[in-house]
Structure formats: structure tokens, C-alpha cells
Amino acid sequence: MRNASAPADDEADDTATGHAETVHVPQPRPAPGAESEDVPEIPAPAPPADPALSEREREILAFERRWWKHAGAKEQAIRDAFDLSATRYYQLLNGLLDNPAALEAEPMLVARLRRLRAARSRNRRR
């Protein structure tokens, strides 16, 4: 026969308060739609290309993803690819960095370019 004051196997004795606490861990709930295993999983559709960005703006972002070792090589590539001066290209790029659609399309790239722009701006003020 078991002593009524002794804690049961599933109870833990809290020595600080002298109270026995029952620890209950609920079973995880099944994911929605997981009840029927014979239903095939349908993949989510691919998001369409962002209509808010023009083709030229998408090309500028793709161009900026490349890493350039020398500034002169990049400036020549800008003239070859876009038929623009480097100054005009960077004006377009700066405007693009403030465009929310560009941030949505290329979040890592736009965030990196914004940080670089902010650092250059701080250095000019010194």
C-alpha cells in the first residue's frame, strides 16, 4: 500500500515549498491538413516578377550583384551594358535604392548598397 502523502511517480517534489507539482506535457497537435495522408502536397506557386520594377531597373540590380575588383572596369562595363555615363548610372541606382519594390525584389543587395551609401555619406560629413 502506498503512503498518501508520498509523491506519485509522475509528480516532482518541490523541496523549497514542500508542495508536490504535477508535470504535464501536452502532445503536439498535427499540422493543418495532416489528418489525411493520401492528399498530395501542392507546391506554392512561384511569385511573379515584380511589375513595379522596369526591365532596366532589374538589369541594374543584377549588374550590382557582381563584385568588381577595379572601379575603372566597372565604369567601362556600365558604359557597355547601359550606354550611360557612370554618374548617370549611380543617380539611377541611388533612386532605385529608395524604391520599396527594389527592396522587396532584392532585399540583401539593396540593404548592403544602402549601408555602403550611408557609410560614404558619413565619411563625407567628417
Side-chain angles (χ1 to χ4, degrees):
M1 179 174 236
R2 191 174 139 195
N3 184 349
S5 64
D9 291 340
D10 61 342
E11 295 176 340
D13 185 23
D14 188 352
T15 57
T17 60
H19 298 285
E21 294 180 20
T22 303
V23 178
H24 176 70
V25 178
Q27 294 294 324
R29 287 188 253 164
E35 294 84 22
S36 177
E37 293 183 22
D38 59 336
V39 177
E41 187 174 321
I42 300 171
D50 193 350
L53 293 177
S54 69
E55 183 64 30
R56 184 180 206 181
E57 290 170 331
R58 285 192 293 274
E59 288 173 3
I60 289 173
L61 290 174
F63 185 81
E64 278 300 312
R65 275 193 301 266
R66 297 185 217 155
W67 288 92
W68 301 92
K69 292 183 180 181
H70 307 289
K74 184 176 181 180
E75 290 176 5
Q76 184 60 47
I78 289 169
R79 282 191 290 278
D80 295 342
F82 300 106
D83 196 28
L84 295 171
S85 69
T87 303
R88 181 64 184 141
Y89 171 82
Y90 286 113
Q91 288 171 343
L92 293 172
L93 178 61
N94 276 319
L96 189 55
L97 294 181
D98 296 328
N99 186 341
L103 181 62
E104 187 176 323
E106 294 285 342
M108 298 292 288
L109 174 68
V110 171
R112 178 176 61 86
L113 294 173
R114 283 179 176 179
R115 281 192 309 272
L116 289 171
R117 180 177 66 178
R120 287 185 192 113
S121 177
R122 280 191 304 271
N123 289 337
R124 278 194 300 270
R125 284 188 238 143
R126 290 182 182 177

